[in-house]
Structures are given as C-alpha cells and as structure tokens.
Amino acid sequence: MKKLIVFFGGLFVLHLGVAMLLELNLGSDPFTLFTQGIATALHITPGWANRLIACLFLGILFIFNRKSIKIGTFLCMIFVGFAIDINLLLIAPLQLHSYGSIVRIVLFMVACGIIGIGFPILKCADLGIPPNDLMYFMFMEKLNKPYGKVRMVCDGLLTIVGILFGGIVGVGTIICILLIGPIVQFCMPKVEKVLQPFLQG
C-alpha cells in the first residue's frame, strides 16, 4: 500500500509539471516533440503515435533489459492521461499561457523542477516507470554514464528526429533538454533518502 501511495503521488506530481509545460505554451518537451514528429510522418494522431512508440520501446526493453519492466510500467501507460487531465483542470484557472514571456519562462523552469522531483518520487516506489524513461536508465547502465548526461543526449536526439519528421521546436524544448536531466539526477538520491524510511517503516 505504501508503494502505491508513493507511486501515484509521484505520478501526480510529475504530471503537474507536464501539465504546466503544456499550459505555458513555450514548446513541447523532447519526447512529446518526437511523438508529434512520428505522428506527422505516419499521418496518425499523437495519441496513436505515443502508443506505437511505447510498444516499440517495450519491445526493445523486453529484448535487452526485460528485468526493468514491472507492473508500474503498465500502470503508467494506463494512468498518465488521467494524471495530465486532472492537473490541467486544476491549473486551468491560473491561465498560465496569458502571462508575459519572462514570467512564463521562469514558470517553465519551475515546471521542470517539479518534474525533476516528481519522477524520483515515482521511481522510488520501485513499481516501475514508463517505457521511455526506462530507456534512459538502460542507456545509463550500458554506457556507465550519469543520468543527467544520458538524458540530455537522448532528449537532444529525440528533438532532432522530431524536427526532421515535422515536429515544432520551441524555447521550452531547449529548456527541457538543459534542465530536466540534471534536476532529476540531483533530486533522486535526496528524494530516496526522504522516502525510504516511510517505505520501509
């Protein structure tokens, strides 16, 4: 039960940050940009492109790192849409998109920080994480490189491919590339230190 509380708490916090990115309208995060590009290239909806990419990543993980796939991986795929929709409803009255450019950029950075805290909470539950996030950790283990650097490189590559296939980049995309990986790397050990006593108690 404690793991489920932490898992869904992390999922909610993580997608509060994602909802803020969407509301601020400064550009998609790299994975969303990649999804948009694939959707444009294949003439399908972004939703179907997201499902297709998730299945592709799951297939790759099943071949090369199947032990990382857990029940939470599938729970994330099921509940991500709900988490985003709920958070969008909660922050809609703030009308974040109507603020000035400088304020929106600052809030975008805050949203990256929220994602950087929410993801470690989700991971700390040890029930599993989304397929695209598992890919970062697979590369991290295979290359023996820190999460922050691996995430920045992968996000950069996702952005390039997304642009080539027709996705639209914005200043927010660049902010995501530069901030989210390092923030997650910084927060992971600290969040784990705080939550482990609760999970083990």
Side-chain angles (χ1 to χ4, degrees):
M1 180 59 74
K2 288 182 178 181
K3 285 189 173 185
L4 284 173
I5 292 171
V6 172
F7 178 86
F8 283 106
L11 195 69
F12 180 85
V13 173
L14 169 59
H15 289 94
L16 169 60
V18 172
M20 287 179 65
L21 298 187
L22 293 172
E23 276 290 298
L24 287 163
N25 197 28
L26 287 174
S28 303
D29 65 274
F31 183 72
T32 300
L33 177 65
F34 175 67
T35 302
Q36 291 171 342
I38 297 298
T40 301
L42 298 180
H43 304 289
I44 57 179
T45 66
W48 277 108
N50 188 284
R51 294 183 188 96
L52 180 64
I53 293 165
C55 290
L56 175 63
F57 285 177
L58 273 176
I60 294 171
L61 289 161
F62 187 79
I63 294 170
F64 295 105
N65 196 23
R66 69 181 64 179
K67 69 178 187 298
S68 66
I69 302 173
K70 300 179 181 179
I71 184 64
T73 303
F74 300 100
L75 289 175
C76 286
M77 294 170 67
I78 294 169
F79 287 103
V80 159
F82 295 109
I84 292 175
D85 289 344
I86 290 170
N87 278 299
L88 283 172
L89 285 173
L90 289 174
I91 66 175
L94 300 176
Q95 296 186 332
L96 300 181
H97 59 276
S98 67
Y99 298 169
S101 297
I102 294 176
V103 174
R104 284 161 62 212
I105 288 172
V106 171
L107 288 174
F108 201 95
M109 293 178 179
V110 171
C112 288
I114 292 172
I115 292 171
I117 294 170
F119 178 74
I121 295 173
L122 177 69
K123 186 175 183 300
C124 198
D126 198 30
L127 291 177
I129 55 177
N132 54 303
D133 289 301
L134 283 175
M135 294 292 288
Y136 298 133
F137 283 93
M138 183 180 76
F139 289 131
M140 187 179 82
E141 292 173 7
K142 301 292 184 186
L143 300 174
N144 195 29
K145 298 293 183 181
Y147 178 87
K149 289 183 178 179
V150 170
R151 173 96 189 221
M152 289 174 72
V153 171
C154 289
D155 281 353
L157 291 174
L158 288 174
T159 298
I160 292 169
V161 174
I163 293 170
L164 291 175
F165 282 131
I168 300 173
V169 69
V171 64
T173 311
I174 307 304
I175 294 172
C176 286
I177 294 172
L178 295 175
L179 290 187
I180 292 180
I183 291 173
V184 170
Q185 181 180 323
F186 175 79
C187 290
M188 270 197 291
K190 293 172 174 55
V191 169
E192 183 175 344
K193 185 177 180 181
V194 171
L195 289 179
Q196 280 305 316
F198 170 74
L199 289 167
Q200 294 173 356

